[in-house]
Amino acid sequence: VVTGTTWSAGAGREVRVVESAEALAEAAADLVIDAASRRPPTGIMLAGGATPRRSYEVVAARAAPGAFAGVHLWYGDERMVPPDHPDSNHGMVVRAWLGAVTGPGPHVHRIRGELPAAEAAAMADGELRAVGGEAPAIDLALLGIGGDGHTASLFPGDDVLDAGALFAPARAGRRATATLRVLSAARRVVFLVSGAAKAAVVAAAIAGPDRALPASLVAPAGGVLWLLDRAAAARLPAPGDPR
Ligand code: 6PG
């Protein structure tokens, strides 16, 4: 298990810093495998983008055969491209992890990027309601953060920030995303962030809710864990510093 410094950055905001991007991937993989071992009834939501790819490769390398049998996997968002397109989040997860799974595997609820965003979002919404009911509580949601403070495909200024559905189209139909309603209802939310380029936005998002930084609006009752490598944590006050 990867150990690192952990501290509270305020109500509902825990920070854990590990040394390197590789240590970050290992820590995230351990969280995902641990969540799966508890047979989460609603499932695990995966982040897209570049940061989590290595984590998914580590999951594939470390998970015991059948570790994810029957576990529902969801996506925080998807780009509206076919799954074999290089930009597809599902395609990335298949290449990094799912393509190597033999034997009983997870229930993968990919967002159908080949369809129009509204249709794909409605389908994902229906699938999540079927599993988790009208107020589904995802057991573990992994999220990333963009330099502009977006998370999943919840970008600053996008109407989707106020969407009442579980999944909704975003980015003028170029994306489909889980909404703040779903993310803030998750039992556990982990932001996985690596690299110096994210240090400023991490510090700003942790400082408190700000509609200009959608990641800062994810506020599950159980709080969020910011899982950072040292470079991404560089702009945070050291634990115990006066705010
Ligand atoms: C996506 C992700 C997105 C991502 C951030 C950070 O589909 O791209 O859902 O929210 O987490 O943009 O992306 P990187 O990890 O590539 O920096």
Side-chain angles (χ1 to χ4, degrees):
V1 176
V2 179
T3 57
T5 49
T6 300
W7 74 89
S8 166
R13 280 159 294 164
E14 182 188 4
V15 176
R16 185 189 308 166
V17 180
V18 296
E19 274 309 312
S20 66
E22 184 63 16
L24 187 72
E26 291 174 3
D30 285 349
L31 286 176
V32 172
I33 293 170
D34 175 63
S37 71
R38 282 182 273 112
R39 280 287 166 270
T42 307
I44 298 168
M45 181 171 273
L46 302 178
T51 303
R53 185 183 319 138
R54 181 65 190 134
S55 304
Y56 302 143
E57 291 172 352
V58 175
V59 170
R62 286 188 175 178
F68 288 81
V71 173
H72 293 283
L73 292 184
W74 309 92
Y75 286 88
D77 71 334
E78 186 55 278
R79 295 82 178 275
M80 303 324 291
V81 295
D84 58 354
H85 187 285
D87 290 350
S88 168
N89 286 334
H90 175 64
M92 179 271 285
V93 175
V94 168
R95 286 190 297 276
W97 168 19
L98 299 178
V101 171
T102 55
H107 288 283
V108 183
H109 301 272
R110 73 177 182 91
I111 298 172
R112 288 165 175 71
E114 69 277 18
L115 298 178
E119 200 174 327
M123 292 177 80
D125 194 293
E127 289 181 36
L128 180 52
R129 285 174 200 272
V131 170
E134 287 305 304
I138 296 279
D139 298 274
L140 170 65
L142 281 187
L143 290 171
I145 187 170
D148 61 357
H150 80 263
T151 190
S153 282
L154 301 166
F155 287 83
D158 193 323
D159 294 345
V160 74
L161 294 181
D162 301 309
L166 303 180
F167 288 90
R171 233 36 181 160
R174 293 195 302 278
R175 303 281 188 100
T177 187
T179 60
L180 285 171
R181 173 177 163 193
V182 167
L183 300 180
S184 291
R187 289 197 177 88
R188 185 160 205 211
V189 171
V190 178
F191 282 96
L192 191 60
V193 196
S194 173
K198 301 284 179 74
V201 73
V202 163
I206 288 180
D210 177 349
R211 198 170 162 84
L213 301 171
S216 72
L217 303 178
V218 177
V224 303
L225 167 64
W226 290 84
L227 184 55
L228 312 171
D229 63 14
R230 192 162 293 289
R235 302 279 289 272
L236 288 180
D241 269 5
R243 295 296 304 148

